Amino acid sequence: MAERSDRAPAPWRRPFLRWLDAVEGGWAVPLLIACFVVVWTLYLAIAYAGGGLHPDTLEAWTLGRNFAFGYHKHPPLMGWVTAAWTSVFPLSDWSLQLMAMANAGLALFFVDLISRQFVTGHKRILVLLLLMLTPAYQFHAQRFNANSVLLATWPLATWCFLRAFETRAWPWAIAAGCTTALAMVGKYYSIFLVVSFAFAALAHPARRAYFSSASPWISVVVGLAALSPHLYWLATTGASTFTYALAHASGNVSSSLGEARNFVLGLAAAMSLSALLWVLIAGTRLKQFPADFAAMSPGLRLLFYVTIGTIVLPVLTSLVWGTDLPSLWALQGLFLFAVLVVCGTSYPIERFHTVNLTVIVAGAALAAVLIAAPIHASNKHGYEEGRSFYAQAAGELTREWREQTGEPLSAVSGDDALAFATAFYSPDHPHYARPFEYQYTWGLPHQTTLDRGWAALCFRGQEYCSRWMEWVSARGGHFVRREFTVRASLWGQPGLSRDVIVLMALPQGSPVPASAADDFSASRRGTE
């Protein structure tokens, strides 16, 4: 059937075939990726029309407001990317949703750079379509954070490493060093990719030629040089990012075995739909797998060793050190499997299958936008982190602050998600004032911060946050407490409501309302 369809395609298939004819012409892959980015950005805009951005995305924006070579919890790349993006695009939900999906689209483009080293024509499209059926490039990507920023950096670094190993030319060696450093400042989990490169080079039959050249040593020197500002930051600030990372290393043998099992099962689940469709496409030709594996090209064999390293090394680390090992930390490496499976086949794949897979991917995307997104947007139970109330809480706090002081709000903290959201959604765009080293210890604000004026927010029911407010207010000063109710809305229809507690430290010299001076129990209830 597949061969017959390719010889005499149905009329509806012909536009798809013309598109596949243009793969080597240069525009078919960019068109596919551009459509992917647009459609899934539209999905996010509809699905979260009644809610704010994810706290991870808001945290990335918060970090990027102050340029640094490192931050307390994470390496700096996610902050740099968000700062660069918002220097061009407006501060809005759709803008950062587009940023998240553009990052996923860039990741797919870099994957295609790898694929084109081994195959031509529509097999390159097959690799991308199979990846588009995994959750990594839509749902994982939309939470722009230290994990999702690796979606683009891992395939870019892998492509440069493959070229550096193959050509042993100094420009590619420099590129490999720079891009592996870029992956490292995305998240330290990338050390598994870097070590996998070394393992793959040592395991490859051409290792002698590679290591006797200048290429690996240039990559090492350039990589360390590119990392040196961050390494200096670590050395001069107490390496707090390592402290945060080591908080995940508290398990025992039993828990580590469970983590390793769930890690592998999670990755298998993420690839399950793509794997099933590939089995249907390959059919009985799957029996050629042993022969294809034995005849694998040198470049694919190198990629195979990298793939093994990115799975085995995290598992071994978890078993030895007792570290957490969520499978979502490794989703950025799924492209390695797709490239190996498709590009490692010695037999041709009929375009009939590629067209069918394109229709499946497009149908799933349209169903997500037209059906799933509106259903998700009408969520009647709200979000655990309170995203439905972010903009309303930020607006009401800003109004209260200006009513009390007549000045713009300059600093905010409290519950992290609410504080990040207030900084983003408030028209004053106050700075997140809680030092990141206090995120899990709830330290006191600096006195200079309080003197300049500061506010904190909690949702009612967050007892840890309310107790912290009481502790802060006990220091004395011009503290004013307010309570108000905010109500979610979707397309003009009112939804759930939630109470917000606010503590404001009025700037030094500001008049204090008699009804609220130093009275932490004073309250006011309003509506948004």
Side-chain angles (χ1 to χ4, degrees), residues 56 118 192 212 521:
D56 286 359
F118 308 112
F192 294 123
S212 62
S521 64

Side-chain angles (χ1 to χ4, degrees), residues 30-56:
L31 177 62
L32 173 64
I33 294 174
C35 290
F36 173 84
V37 171
V38 169
V39 169
W40 283 102
T41 301
L42 183 60
Y43 166 84
L44 294 178
I46 297 173
Y48 295 98
L53 294 167
H54 193 278
D56 286 359

Side-chain angles (χ1 to χ4, degrees), residues 9-65:
W12 70 268
R13 288 180 175 271
R14 289 170 186 163
F16 290 98
L17 295 175
R18 285 195 291 272
W19 167 61
L20 294 179
D21 288 337
V23 171
E24 297 304 314
W27 62 266
V29 170
L31 177 62
L32 173 64
I33 294 174
C35 290
F36 173 84
V37 171
V38 169
V39 169
W40 283 102
T41 301
L42 183 60
Y43 166 84
L44 294 178
I46 297 173
Y48 295 98
L53 294 167
H54 193 278
D56 286 359
T57 305
L58 295 172
E59 181 182 31
W61 173 77
T62 300
L63 292 174
R65 298 182 75 182

Side-chain angles (χ1 to χ4, degrees), residues 193-218:
L193 180 68
V194 178
V195 176
S196 295
F197 288 164
F199 165 73
L202 288 168
H204 198 274
R207 57 185 171 272
R208 181 181 298 274
Y210 178 64
F211 284 106
S212 62
S213 72
S215 180
W217 318 115
I218 292 174

